[in-house]
Amino acid sequence: MPGICCAVGCDNSRQRNPGLQFVSIPKDLDRRNKWLAAIRRDHWQPTSNSRLCSQHFVSGRTNDNPMSPDYIPSLFAHTSAGQRQRSIYATSRFEHTQQMKRKRTETLVPDSDHETVAPSSTSDATGLDITLVEQVECVKDDHSYSQAILSSGIVEPCSNAACQATVKALTNKCARLRAEVNCLKDKVNVLSFNEEPFKGNDEMVQELTGLPSYAKMMVVFGFLSGFVKA
């Protein structure tokens, strides 16, 4: 049985590393392509004998759950330190969430008809409301940007550097959008046909009315208003 890892730069084999698992490349086309993209082996197509060792998965094994970071291998010689850290963090968050779900399942309360009813929320040893945590959890770019909402309702910000950078970037973008909205409001006010934008702006008066100045425009308006009132 073939037992040599197909990853570039990896010399693990069943003979030298009996404690490792060696898994075949998935047959599912979508997952298979993602594995090949992660492996990054140029001009290579796996065969039925191709194997990847378990050292390329954060948890030490592949996971068939598409929500798991180990659904796709992520630890290779070409993996940067930042990418490696994000994969480890995402796997840790996934395993923690799975553990909490298992705890909730184990604490299901049977009712009088022998059916099970899930409690509205579950708290771990730290007092963390697990139901609320799951409601605010989201995943972006291999990082789980989550916030822990304590039972008191206080939000505990994520201490992850990548998460903090994302929050900062979004805050800056929000500030830029506010500035753009204010600028557009100013333009609308300038383009509105009322007296205020014309004050002290003879060039605009001449361009829009053909009159040489604001003062003469007001004289004309005053003269015409007399006919309107009459």
Side-chain angles (χ1 to χ4, degrees), residues 94-104 106:
F94 173 79
E95 291 181 348
H96 175 75
T97 301
Q98 294 300 107
Q99 181 181 5
M100 292 303 102
K101 287 181 178 179
R102 286 193 294 270
K103 285 185 178 180
R104 290 175 60 191
E106 292 171 359

Side-chain angles (χ1 to χ4, degrees), residues 160-179:
N160 182 273
C163 183
Q164 292 176 349
T166 300
V167 171
K168 183 178 179 180
L170 291 174
T171 301
N172 292 338
K173 183 176 182 180
C174 185
R176 289 196 301 272
L177 290 174
R178 286 198 185 99

Side-chain angles (χ1 to χ4, degrees), residues 132-211:
L132 291 176
V133 169
E134 291 180 352
Q135 289 176 350
V136 297
E137 182 174 317
C138 62
V139 177
K140 179 180 176 63
D141 298 333
D142 298 330
H143 172 70
S144 177
Y145 295 101
S146 58
Q147 292 179 321
I149 300 182
L150 305 182
S151 57
S152 61
I154 300 175
V155 177
E156 182 180 272
C158 178
S159 60
N160 182 273
C163 183
Q164 292 176 349
T166 300
V167 171
K168 183 178 179 180
L170 291 174
T171 301
N172 292 338
K173 183 176 182 180
C174 185
R176 289 196 301 272
L177 290 174
R178 286 198 185 99
E180 184 177 349
V181 169
N182 291 333
C183 181
L184 291 173
K185 286 182 178 178
D186 291 339
K187 288 183 178 180
V188 169
N189 291 333
V190 169
L191 294 175
S192 299
F193 202 84
N194 56 56
E195 181 182 340
E196 291 300 322
F198 289 95
K199 287 184 177 179
N201 196 335
D202 293 342
E203 183 178 349
M204 177 184 284
V205 171
Q206 187 173 11
E207 181 179 353
L208 296 179
T209 69
L211 298 171

Side-chain angles (χ1 to χ4, degrees), residues 70-122:
D70 276 335
Y71 185 70
I72 308 296
S74 59
L75 305 182
F76 296 95
H78 57 259
T79 305
S80 68
Q83 291 174 326
R84 185 178 296 267
Q85 187 62 35
R86 286 193 292 272
S87 296
I88 293 173
Y89 180 84
T91 302
S92 175
R93 286 298 307 157
F94 173 79
E95 291 181 348
H96 175 75
T97 301
Q98 294 300 107
Q99 181 181 5
M100 292 303 102
K101 287 181 178 179
R102 286 193 294 270
K103 285 185 178 180
R104 290 175 60 191
T105 301
E106 292 171 359
T107 55
L108 291 176
V109 181
D111 64 10
S112 57
D113 295 327
H114 305 290
E115 295 180 351
T116 56
V117 179
S120 60
S121 64
T122 306

Side-chain angles (χ1 to χ4, degrees), residues 19-46:
L20 296 180
Q21 294 181 355
F22 289 79
V23 296
S24 58
I25 308 300
K27 293 182 179 180
D28 175 76
L29 185 60
D30 180 65
R31 190 180 183 189
R32 181 185 184 88
N33 289 336
K34 290 178 180 178
W35 276 47
L36 295 182
I39 294 172
R40 290 190 190 178
R41 187 168 173 178
D42 294 336
H43 310 297
W44 174 77
Q45 283 297 324

